[in-house]
Amino acid sequence: MTDIARILFAATGFFWLLIGILTGLLQDRGVGPTFVFVSERTDTILYQGPPQEILDSNDGLTTFRYTAIRVIAGLLVAAGALTAGLAWYGLRDPQTWVLAILTVVGMAVLPYWWISLAPYRDAGIPLRLTDIPPLMWAPAITMPLASVLGWIDHLRA
């Protein structure tokens, strides 16, 4: 198995794991209340006001946001640990089933991220790369690349 594919898969898993852990640790420390979902700029347009003001004025929304972000953080920790572990150990001795699972994981999230950003697109809000959280765009680059490299190498063997 190409080491590049293995490293890209594992790095993506560690990246998700790190973001999940940091989100859980920093959520109650004032990190992130300047956005509701994507970025302060886009959320201000979509929600028709500065996210900090909206969150400060609606305790229910703030509670929902913190709860949803904690759930997402937990899923990132789980997906990150699984992805990193499968990549690092399962691709050491290339196994078709491991490469297939990692490919599905890498591709399965892409349509859901596209769907989750629909309200911004529907409102005509231009999304810049700097608006989109790195947990979305970084794996959108690394996972397909790792999959292609992994399958090319696997099919040659």
Side-chain angles (χ1 to χ4, degrees):
M1 178 62 52
T2 177
D3 283 337
I4 295 172
R6 183 173 167 228
I7 289 167
L8 287 172
F9 278 127
T12 302
F14 284 120
F15 181 66
W16 280 339
L17 183 64
L18 178 66
I19 288 177
I21 290 170
L22 289 177
T23 299
L25 293 174
L26 300 176
Q27 185 68 23
D28 293 325
R29 290 176 172 67
V31 176
T34 59
F35 66 90
V36 175
F37 184 69
V38 175
S39 73
E40 184 174 8
R41 182 188 72 80
T42 58
D43 288 351
T44 297
I45 298 167
L46 184 65
Y47 299 110
Q48 302 171 358
Q52 183 68 55
E53 288 179 19
I54 293 169
L55 292 168
D56 287 345
S57 69
N58 188 329
D59 289 338
L61 178 61
T62 300
T63 300
F64 173 77
R65 179 183 177 274
Y66 279 113
T67 303
I69 287 177
R70 285 185 181 114
V71 168
I72 293 168
L75 292 171
L76 283 170
V77 168
L82 184 62
T83 300
L86 276 175
W88 197 251
Y89 296 106
L91 294 180
R92 186 174 289 164
D93 254 350
Q95 305 227 6
T96 303
W97 70 269
V98 174
L99 183 57
I101 288 172
L102 288 170
T103 299
V104 168
V105 167
M107 300 306 163
V109 295
L110 298 177
Y112 288 96
W113 292 338
W114 179 257
I115 292 166
S116 71
L117 296 172
Y120 298 89
R121 289 191 312 277
D122 293 346
I125 302 168
L127 291 168
R128 301 182 295 228
L129 186 61
T130 55
D131 291 321
I132 300 169
L135 73 95
M136 290 178 153
W137 64 260
I141 296 167
T142 58
M143 293 293 266
L145 179 60
S147 295
V148 168
L149 292 173
W151 282 107
I152 287 172
D153 191 55
H154 185 71
L155 294 173
R156 282 188 193 159

